[in-house]
Amino acid sequence: MTAENNDSNAVALQEATRAEVEATTDIRQFVTFIVGDEVFAVDMAPVQEIIRVPDVVKVPLAPRTLDGLANLRGKVLPIISLRRIFGFDERVADDASRAIVIDQGRQPLGFVVDRVVSVVGVDPRHIEGTAAISSTVNTELVSGLLKDVGGYPMIMVLDFGKLIAAEFADIAVKASNHTEIATQAVQRSDALQDKINDELHLVNFEVADQEYAIVIDDVQEIVQVPELIVHVPHSESHVLGVMTLRNRLLPLVSLRRMFGLPTRDADENSRIVVVSLGSASVGVVMDSVNEVLRVARTDVDAMPAMLSREGNMSDISQICRLDSGKRLVSILSVGNMFRHAAIKEALTTVDNMADKSELDDSGSRALSSDDDRSDDEEQVVVFVLGKEEFGVPIDSVQEIVRVAEAMTRVPKAPAAVEGVINLRGAVLPVMDLRRRLGLEQIERSDRQRIMVFLIDGVRTGFIVDSVVEVLKVHKSTIEAAPHLSGEQSMLLARMANLEKQKRMVQLLDPTYLIEKQELQALAELVVA
């Protein structure tokens, strides 16, 4: 073999090697998966990760293809059903199901698939256009075809950019618009102020079939009774123990025991009303929390001097007369309560425990007063519709009342109006929030409440399944909700993502509860 032939062979080998390297460099990665009886693929570039199908929170007014919202390491992730998008039969997710998280620079989305097959490298020569199947298959969402890859003769490559634009057009809006909507919602919630100076705003609760109330300014929050209460040895019977509330110890006392009433175990209706005086906080266990009331000061009388008790029973400072005097509510003075022997002992108990507690990493006590964090927190009223929790700024709530046994139907009233009730001499239109949010209707129950809002000067009530608590939410946990639809983005623009508690509370803006065209009709209804 001549030198010339050797050189020719070497050049040919180098060119072949170079072509092989170039071909290898152009290899594209795809994730292949199954939905129904079809095999699909997605380019690896926008795939952020692949996760098990998480638990979700259902969102009203969202597209039907949305399963709900999930928590992915502290961030809200919409979870979408590809089966529903393609019109396939519904199927409950199982151990093989996965959510493919697609991030195209706007809002990451999780798409539920029946099974992820593999990640494959594909030679571009095995990728074809959709012309061959366009006459028989709708290829609008298909960007190409993989031929003879992974043991399948043909795999359709989904264009998730087009799919998102088609199914979730509102998600595809610019992030700046989304941020602006959320910012406006924050500004509105910060701007809500109580301008009714001639009324008292009271939290109304019940103990041993007797109604009591506390001025809402003295109530930090209302929370459910926890499963774990640490009982303190050698403490008096009215001191139930201590619980942990957002990394601080909260002493608990029983109002039943403080007032010498028969004891009763807490149940699902029991609530803890957290009251404060200065930097001190105490949780008072009530049988139930019924309403948030706005009452005219003219309906409130001081406790008659001859009936006032000294010592531990001087807690009742005023009496509120409702329903023309047929209903009497005792208003507790928080200042007097903190002089009660039970409260003093509970606070001493926590102080003793705090003295023995370990320091946190920064060298300071884990205990901290709410006053130190009040500027960083929002106080919201949490209510339930179905299995989901919603919240509204506490200052937006005029009051919370029981659902009347009978509501008066009004001819020619807006279709959404269930009826009207007489609320202390004023006509109150009542709407069903389930209907407003497009949720399934349910039968009336004793747990339901009417939340009253003042919307553009029109006082309107909305029926909710139950009111759960008044909660202080740290602003760091509040984020813009995914922009799923125009109506949802205004009404439910924010979400409290309470990761440690494994809760998501959808924050509702009452300003958008009533369509503008309905406001005039409601205003006329109230005047009439």
Side-chain angles (χ1 to χ4, degrees), residues 2 96 119 139 220-221 249 266 278 331 344-345 369 382 438 465:
T2 65
V119 176
T139 59
Q220 285 188 6
E221 53 192 300
L249 295 178
I331 301 177
K344 288 181 177 179
E345 179 169 351
S369 70
V382 179
D465 293 0

Side-chain angles (χ1 to χ4, degrees), residues 265-278:
D265 291 337
D267 58 22
E268 61 178 8
N269 295 318
S270 302
R271 292 292 184 271
I272 296 171
V273 178
V274 183
V275 296
S276 62
L277 188 68

Side-chain angles (χ1 to χ4, degrees), residues 12-206:
L13 180 60
Q14 289 174 358
E15 290 177 349
T17 303
R18 186 183 301 113
E20 183 178 351
V21 170
E22 289 176 352
T24 303
T25 303
D26 290 337
I27 292 294
R28 293 175 58 185
Q29 299 288 320
F30 290 87
V31 177
T32 59
F33 55 89
I34 293 174
V35 180
D37 295 326
E38 304 294 337
V39 185
F40 299 93
V42 59
D43 195 300
M44 192 69 178
V47 177
Q48 181 174 309
E49 56 188 299
I50 300 172
I51 60 175
R52 292 185 179 275
V53 180
D55 295 331
V56 297
V57 170
K58 300 293 184 180
V59 181
L61 307 177
R64 64 174 296 276
T65 50
L66 181 83
D67 279 344
L69 302 179
N71 187 326
L72 182 63
R73 293 187 298 279
K75 295 297 182 182
V76 176
L77 177 71
I79 300 295
I80 298 161
S81 168
L82 271 183
R83 273 184 167 264
R84 219 169 287 142
I85 286 177
F86 295 150
F88 295 164
D89 292 339
E90 293 283 342
R91 175 189 143 182
V92 178
D94 57 23
D95 290 340
S97 303
R98 292 293 184 270
I100 300 176
V101 181
I102 304 292
D103 187 356
Q104 294 195 320
R106 297 185 180 95
Q107 164 71 59
L109 302 171
F111 291 88
V112 177
V113 303
D114 294 351
R115 180 166 63 90
V116 171
V117 179
S118 64
V119 176
V120 296
V122 180
D123 189 314
R125 291 173 295 183
H126 290 190
I127 303 175
E128 295 186 4
T130 60
I133 62 171
S134 59
S135 60
T136 56
V137 177
N138 183 354
T139 59
E140 184 178 348
L141 303 180
V142 178
S143 62
L145 302 173
L146 307 183
K147 303 294 285 291
D148 299 320
V149 171
Y152 295 96
M154 183 178 70
I155 301 175
M156 290 181 284
V157 180
L158 286 182
D159 187 331
F160 275 90
K162 291 182 179 178
L163 188 150
I164 292 169
E167 295 292 328
F168 294 88
D170 289 293
I171 285 180
V173 299
K174 293 182 179 178
S176 58
N177 292 340
H178 190 185
T179 303
E180 181 180 351
I181 292 172
T183 301
Q184 291 173 354
V186 172
Q187 292 171 344
R188 284 192 297 271
S189 67
D190 291 341
L192 287 169
Q193 298 294 331
D194 183 5
K195 299 179 180 179
I196 307 176
N197 296 322
D198 62 343
E199 292 183 332
L200 277 180
H201 201 177
L202 304 172
V203 175
N204 168 243
F205 48 88
E206 194 170 291

Side-chain angles (χ1 to χ4, degrees), residues 26 35 43 45 195 212 227 246 253 261 289 317 324 385 388 414 466 491 493 502-503 519:
D26 290 337
V35 180
D43 195 300
K195 299 179 180 179
Y212 298 90
E227 294 182 2
R246 297 195 310 277
V253 298
L261 300 171
V289 173
S317 61
S324 301
L385 293 173
E388 311 306 342
S466 65
L491 186 58
K502 297 182 179 180
R503 296 172 67 186
L519 275 174

Side-chain angles (χ1 to χ4, degrees), residues 353-419:
M353 294 183 69
D355 289 339
K356 298 176 183 178
S357 66
E358 297 181 358
L359 301 180
D360 61 19
D361 293 338
S362 64
S364 60
R365 294 288 180 191
L367 300 175
S368 62
S369 70
D370 280 338
D371 292 341
D372 296 334
R373 300 182 298 171
S374 58
D375 291 341
D376 296 325
E377 293 176 324
E378 286 191 28
Q379 199 169 19
V380 298
V381 179
V382 179
F383 62 92
V384 171
L385 293 173
K387 297 180 180 180
E388 311 306 342
E389 291 185 314
F390 299 82
V392 290
I394 192 167
D395 286 339
S396 71
V397 182
Q398 292 280 301
E399 52 190 295
I400 301 170
V401 298
R402 292 184 178 93
V403 179
E405 292 184 4
M407 281 183 280
T408 303
R409 299 285 181 179
V410 180
K412 299 182 180 180
V417 175
E418 294 284 300

